[in-house]
Amino acid sequence: MWLLIDLLLVGVFAVIGRLSHYGSLTLGGWWTTAWPFLVGTLLAWAALTATRRSPAAISSGVVVWLGALVGGMVLRQTSGQGTATAFVVVATLVLGALLVLPRVGARVRGR
């Protein structure tokens, strides 16, 4: 369940970014923004699986956050997309909130 939630939330991150910068949304535009972060998320999940960490743990959310962020930025840079400092800061904060806070909420609710 957490894998799907994480991928969905990373997709939402890309939607928010596209809408805030371009005022409209196309599938191609969304994909251009989303794919590096989705790949980073999947790489982080591979690490979680390899280490047998509980996906619901807050520390696992941190792993997914950092994987999505770092993997996404590296892939954006290597594919010729921008990694301006302001974008990195915003992506750090938004992805952190989207990928860690749901696990905090689940923990507080006892799930």
Side-chain angles (χ1 to χ4, degrees), residues 13-83:
F13 163 74
V15 167
I16 292 167
R18 295 299 297 189
L19 288 174
S20 67
H21 288 283
Y22 299 101
S24 65
L25 185 65
T26 65
L27 183 59
W30 172 82
W31 180 250
T32 298
T33 301
W35 79 262
F37 299 101
L38 292 169
V39 171
T41 301
L42 291 173
L43 291 172
W45 264 87
L48 290 180
T49 301
T51 58
R52 298 178 185 232
R53 296 175 72 118
S54 168
I58 294 169
S59 61
S60 293
V62 172
V63 169
V64 175
W65 166 34
L66 295 177
L69 178 68
V70 174
M73 292 301 170
V74 167
L75 290 169
R76 281 181 64 88
Q77 186 66 35
T78 59
S79 66
Q81 297 185 53
T83 55

